[in-house]
Amino acid sequence: AQSVTQPDIHITVSEGASLELRCNYSYGATPYLFWYVQSPGQGLQLLLKYFSGDTLVQGIKGFEAEFKRSQSSFNLRKPSVHWSDAAEYFCAVESYGQNFVFGPGTRLSVLP
Amino acid sequence: DTAVSQTPKYLVTQMGNDKSIKCEQNLGHDTMYWYKQDSKKFLKIMFSYNNKELIINETVPNRFSPKSPDKAHLNLHINSLELGDSAVYFCASSLVEGEAFFGQGTRLTVV
């Protein structure tokens, strides 16, 4: 069965600092990979996705993610965090004919 | 234009009642979903449905039932509500191979 792990439940960074959120997945083949962000009281918004091709993908709001097949990872990065980035971040996987499976989420807090 | 809309946004009801949450998508997607998000923010798939197949998560009580009058709608009916049903419920839709688009969520509180 597919599974997604996000090892960090809660991360706190200072505004302007760099950010990396970790995501690992377990699946027989390479699934489609996604990062979503959820602001308080809101639905989930897609940040970026990986289907194939270049393993470094760019998303909205200055985020990027790198797919590493050898590590079954899809880590999310941002070079300089803004206070408005404080939210819950979810990594997800999906493959043809299967449902989306979400990781447990990482809560990001940003210090002024 | 809201891509995936669900109503109501908030729902407060007593134990034992029956309630419905409506979901509509205007994206022309093939597949729709219902997710439950618990107090720890964990997202759990409840159902996925396209016009051919309903896939039910076996852990979902049969008090929950999806109903799809057409391809653009997937409503969630809940019978005999229990305290443990309190959560945020998200509707989503996607193409067969593509990202999921989510509604804003319905916060259900059972008292």
Side-chain angles (χ1 to χ4, degrees):
Chain A
Q2 298 178 73
S3 67
V4 181
T5 56
Q6 295 178 245
D8 305 305
I9 297 173
H10 185 200
I11 286 181
T12 301
V13 300
S14 297
E15 191 169 20
S18 63
L19 171 70
E20 182 169 26
L21 302 182
R22 295 181 290 166
C23 172
N24 293 93
Y25 66 90
S26 174
Y27 190 65
T30 300
Y32 303 132
L33 299 160
F34 308 87
W35 275 98
Y36 285 84
V37 61
Q38 183 181 27
S39 298
Q42 300 297 313
L44 279 76
Q45 181 184 22
L46 179 72
L47 285 175
L48 45 77
K49 61 188 178 187
Y50 173 79
F51 285 3
S52 64
D54 192 345
T55 56
L56 184 64
V57 294
Q58 302 297 319
I60 62 172
K61 305 184 180 185
F63 285 93
E64 66 177 26
E66 185 172 13
F67 167 59
K68 293 185 177 180
R69 185 188 305 273
S70 61
Q71 298 178 18
S72 297
S73 69
F74 188 54
N75 294 348
L76 181 71
R77 300 194 294 249
K78 186 169 184 177
S80 178
V81 171
H82 188 262
W83 64 266
S84 61
D85 293 325
E88 193 86 21
Y89 290 80
F90 294 93
C91 181
V93 303
E94 191 254 353
S95 63
Y96 185 86
Q98 304 294 319
N99 292 323
F100 287 85
V101 175
F102 285 84
T106 297
R107 183 160 62 97
L108 174 65
S109 297
V110 181
L111 299 175
Chain B
D1 282 345
T2 302
V4 182
S5 60
Q6 51 181 111
T7 55
K9 187 171 183 178
Y10 300 97
L11 182 56
V12 181
T13 187
Q14 291 185 327
M15 286 176 54
N17 284 351
D18 303 336
K19 290 294 180 184
S20 295
I21 306 172
K22 295 184 177 181
C23 178
E24 175 182 6
Q25 56 97 1
N26 62 6
L27 298 168
H29 286 168
D30 305 312
T31 307
M32 297 184 72
Y33 312 84
W34 278 105
Y35 282 85
K36 178 181 180 180
Q37 186 174 47
D38 61 23
S39 59
K40 295 185 177 180
K41 301 292 187 182
F42 187 72
L43 282 158
K44 172 185 168 183
I45 181 74
M46 301 178 70
F47 306 99
S48 68
Y49 185 81
N50 61 29
N51 55 11
K52 299 176 184 176
E53 185 178 14
L54 172 66
I55 300 174
I56 302 172
N57 185 324
E58 62 185 11
T59 66
V60 174
N62 57 16
R63 297 182 295 103
F64 291 79
S65 58
K67 298 200 189 307
S68 180
D70 56 57
K71 185 179 174 181
H73 297 82
L74 184 65
N75 303 325
L76 182 64
H77 295 268
I78 317 170
N79 295 325
S80 303
L81 278 155
E82 301 177 356
L83 292 176
D85 297 332
S86 295
V88 181
Y89 293 83
F90 285 100
C91 177
S93 72
S94 74
L95 294 171
V96 174
E97 292 180 312
E99 65 265 35
F101 290 78
F102 283 79
Q104 291 299 296
T106 296
R107 181 174 295 277
L108 171 65
T109 304
V110 182
V111 297

